[in-house]
Amino acid sequence: MDSLKKLYRIGSGPSSSHTMGPESASVYMKNKYPQADSFVVFLYGSLALTGKGHLTDYIIKETLGNNTVIHFDYETVKKHPNTFIIEAYSGKTLISKHEFVSIGGGEIIIDNKKLDEDYKRYDFKDFKEICDYAKNNNIDLSEVVYRFDDKDIKEYLLNVYTIMKSSIDKGLKETGLLPGKLKVKRKAKDIFESLINSDEKDKVIAYAYAVSEENASGNTIVTSPTCGSSGVLPACLYYYERKGYSIDRIIDALAVAGLIGNTIKTNASISGACSGCQAEVGAACSMASGAICYLENGTLDQIDCAAEIAMEHHLGLTCDPIDGLVQIPCIERNAVAALRSIDAAKMSLLPIYPEKITFDSVVETMLETGKDIRESYKETSKGGLALTKIKE
């Protein structure tokens, strides 16, 4: 498993796989071939079908320069739906050509090799092995992160949480319309003001909307584990900070959530184009629910249970963004999942043992379910809610 720095990436929305990934690949090409004066890019699969809505073409041209030609290939079928090719030219001479795959969470594979090969930190194959290590060494899960990850990981996570909170604060103040022809109104500020006198848990809805609307606007967020699901975990952690939990405790919970997210990323997928929204919002819900259970002093078995419940009830969730924009149904899904995270954690703390299904087994099931979901329901905008008529 990689460092949590590769899971919690700080960058601009609206999509980790469709915006942040192609941006990283474009930076790689520009730095590797400084003599290139033009580029030609071929987008395939989901990147072609929803690239414009996700600002894929915009970020590529912004990075490589205006002398870049982008082809949206809707017909060629590649093994991975987030495949793209970048050709570098000097005059009319082809200098080099590389095939990239954006595998989710902003991570890139170039010519079948990870761009960041040197970030392996954890020698665990699944969540059970992580928990067994913690149990055998009499430490809690956050300490596993501090033992195995980079020496500055705690400082990095503090910065991550600071940016998460900043996204909430900014999102709660903004008004107007989100970018794109759907003309979706920003709602976080209105929702929060309507809930001023309500239970604190209800305000989680506003927090999730705030981050998701910042993401949809292309502003700075943290992948947790993706841009499209970036509102769930910050909303839940902020809620617990407001309940009186210390920043140190929140950061520890963020570390625990990272182990859960890393497990999903390693053994299944965090890409909507590969496995549907179960891999994005479902993964975020598992991360947040496990983190909350940890904050509530849950045992290792209960944390496993919390993450399992959260993922189990997202199985089969499709990725069907209308017009390819990370707005409908994405923003609302983040709010629903944030509330579900709290409830799943609460259930895990009840006497519901012995559980028959482990978190690792439901992650494996999610991967198999993702393979069975029709392509039209996996970030193509060709099925599901993506075909729904919008009210004017």
Side-chain angles (χ1 to χ4, degrees):
M1 296 182 185
D2 292 339
S3 166
L4 295 192
K5 292 179 180 179
K6 298 291 105 180
L7 183 76
Y8 294 127
R9 294 174 187 254
I10 299 164
S12 301
S15 172
S16 48
S17 58
H18 288 56
T19 314
M20 292 173 67
E23 181 182 22
S24 295
S26 299
V27 169
Y28 172 86
M29 291 295 289
K30 193 164 188 177
N31 291 339
K32 189 171 180 64
Y33 305 106
Q35 70 273 36
D37 52 30
S38 66
F39 297 89
V40 177
V41 181
F42 298 87
L43 302 176
Y44 303 98
S46 178
L47 287 175
L49 291 164
T50 64
K52 287 191 178 293
H54 286 80
L55 304 182
T56 306
D57 54 338
Y58 166 80
I59 198 65
I60 289 173
K61 282 195 172 184
E62 188 76 5
T63 307
L64 292 178
N66 289 328
N67 203 13
T68 301
V69 177
I70 300 177
H71 298 282
F72 292 82
D73 186 334
Y74 305 109
E75 304 299 329
T76 303
V77 178
K78 294 285 188 177
K79 185 176 181 180
H80 195 288
N82 286 341
T83 299
F84 58 110
I85 290 172
I86 302 180
E87 298 177 342
Y89 288 85
S90 177
K92 294 184 178 181
T93 303
L94 176 64
I95 301 172
S96 188
K97 171 183 175 180
H98 293 290
E99 182 175 272
F100 297 89
V101 177
S102 184
I103 61 174
E107 189 163 356
I108 288 293
I109 289 176
I110 172 172
D111 299 330
N112 297 313
K113 184 180 179 181
K114 277 189 178 183
L115 194 58
D116 301 320
E117 283 285 6
D118 60 339
Y119 273 87
K120 293 292 182 185
R121 297 290 183 270
Y122 303 89
D123 191 22
F124 302 110
K125 70 178 183 182
D126 54 26
F127 197 61
K128 181 181 183 302
E129 284 196 356
I130 295 172
C131 290
D132 284 347
Y133 179 87
K135 189 180 298 181
N136 293 336
N137 288 272
N138 198 29
I139 58 174
D140 75 13
L141 286 175
S142 67
E143 188 58 37
V144 175
V145 173
Y146 305 141
R147 283 192 181 188
F148 285 92
D149 217 303
D150 294 343
K151 291 182 179 179
D152 66 341
I153 190 62
K154 196 160 190 175
E155 290 77 13
Y156 182 83
L157 292 177
L158 178 59
N159 186 43
V160 159
Y161 184 56
T162 299
I163 292 170
M164 286 178 168
K165 288 201 296 181
S166 177
S167 298
I168 293 174
D169 292 339
K170 290 178 181 177
L172 290 177
K173 295 172 185 174
E174 295 292 336
T175 58
L177 301 179
L178 296 174
K181 65 182 181 181
L182 294 180
K183 297 180 180 178
V184 174
K185 178 186 175 184
R186 277 182 175 261
K187 302 180 180 73
K189 184 175 186 291
D190 289 343
I191 292 171
F192 183 73
E193 290 176 352
S194 74
L195 296 171
I196 287 294
N197 297 318
S198 299
D199 183 83
E200 279 297 313
K201 179 185 172 184
D202 293 341
K203 295 173 186 175
V204 168
I205 299 170
Y207 304 151
Y209 262 81
V211 178
S212 296
E213 288 174 354
E214 283 294 287
N215 175 65
S217 299
N219 294 331
T220 301
I221 52 85
V222 177
T223 59
S224 46
T226 66
C227 289
S229 59
S230 59
V232 181
L233 184 57
C236 292
L237 294 180
Y238 189 61
Y239 163 61
Y240 269 80
E241 183 188 343
R242 289 177 64 87
K243 285 184 69 173
Y245 286 72
S246 70
I247 293 295
D248 279 347
R249 186 73 173 150
I250 295 293
I251 299 308
D252 289 347
L254 185 59
V256 172
L259 292 174
I260 293 169
N262 249 358
T263 299
I264 298 169
K265 179 182 175 183
T266 301
N267 294 322
S269 173
I270 56 170
S271 168
C274 284
S275 297
C277 200
Q278 58 172 359
E280 296 202 29
V281 166
C285 190
S286 280
M287 292 167 66
S289 187
I292 292 168
C293 185
Y294 171 83
L295 286 170
E296 296 281 10
N297 296 314
T299 65
L300 291 171
D301 286 338
Q302 288 172 324
I303 293 169
D304 184 280
C305 178
E308 179 272 319
I309 291 171
M311 179 60 79
E312 180 183 344
H313 299 289
H314 278 94
L315 290 175
L317 184 61
T318 55
C319 182
D320 43 6
I322 296 176
D323 204 39
L325 298 167
V326 192
Q327 298 177 13
I328 303 173
C330 318
I331 295 172
E332 188 175 282
R333 280 182 182 169
N334 274 257
V336 171
L339 293 174
R340 181 176 285 185
S341 299
I342 298 170
D343 291 337
K346 185 180 295 184
M347 285 184 65
S348 72
L349 295 167
L350 298 174
I352 59 177
Y353 293 110
E355 279 289 271
K356 299 293 185 180
I357 301 174
T358 65
F359 173 58
D360 286 323
S361 65
V362 82
V363 169
E364 183 179 343
T365 301
M366 187 269 276
L367 178 62
E368 293 305 312
T369 303
K371 293 176 182 177
D372 292 337
I373 295 175
R374 279 170 43 186
E375 291 302 311
S376 58
Y377 295 119
K378 292 193 284 189
E379 210 165 358
T380 61
S381 288
K382 294 171 68 176
L385 285 172
L387 303 182
T388 301
K389 290 184 179 180
I390 301 298
K391 291 181 182 179
E392 296 295 333

